[in-house]
Amino acid sequence: MSEEVLLEQTFPIAGSDFERGGEVASRVKAILRELGIAPELIRRLSIANFEAEMNVVMYADAGELRLEVLPAAVRVTVSDRGAGIPDIEWAMQPGNSTATEAMR
């Protein structure tokens, strides 16, 4: 059985485009408001969407955010293309960061 998708939209995200970083999250927030989604859910999704979008902007060549609104759920999937983290174990240690000085 497939899930009924009420709305599906994909938004491109450009890597290193700090000037436009956050625009996709804002657009998704506006769409969710227009659909009458609960404000608390919109707030939580907006924070997560912004963080995910900025990770693409900061660390990937490009990516996309895919929004799916279902009768009982909102699904957001963010994917990206880039070099990745060469040493994940190092990056997961407290105090280590892959952010450059310019990003901070």
Side-chain angles (χ1 to χ4, degrees):
M1 178 187 279
S2 65
E3 296 176 297
E4 177 187 7
V5 177
L6 304 174
L7 176 113
E8 180 179 350
Q9 194 164 352
T10 301
F11 303 88
I13 303 169
S16 300
D17 190 357
F18 290 94
E19 191 171 309
R20 290 192 180 91
E23 285 184 5
V24 169
S26 293
R27 289 173 59 197
V28 169
K29 182 178 184 177
I31 290 168
L32 296 176
R33 279 186 179 153
E34 288 177 23
L35 294 174
I37 303 296
E40 176 58 21
L41 179 59
I42 293 173
R43 185 185 73 77
R44 289 175 33 223
L45 280 167
S46 295
I47 293 167
N49 291 344
F50 178 80
E51 293 291 331
E53 179 181 356
M54 290 310 296
N55 278 337
V56 172
V57 169
M58 291 188 307
Y59 298 109
D61 298 326
E64 65 182 28
L65 183 147
R66 180 176 174 188
L67 170 67
E68 294 175 286
V69 179
L70 308 148
V74 175
R75 181 181 301 143
V76 175
T77 307
V78 178
S79 58
D80 66 42
R81 294 173 302 285
I85 299 172
D87 188 345
I88 292 176
E89 285 188 34
W90 174 87
M92 297 302 292
Q93 297 299 314
N96 292 344
S97 175
T98 56
T100 65
E101 286 301 319
M103 290 176 193
R104 290 185 200 124

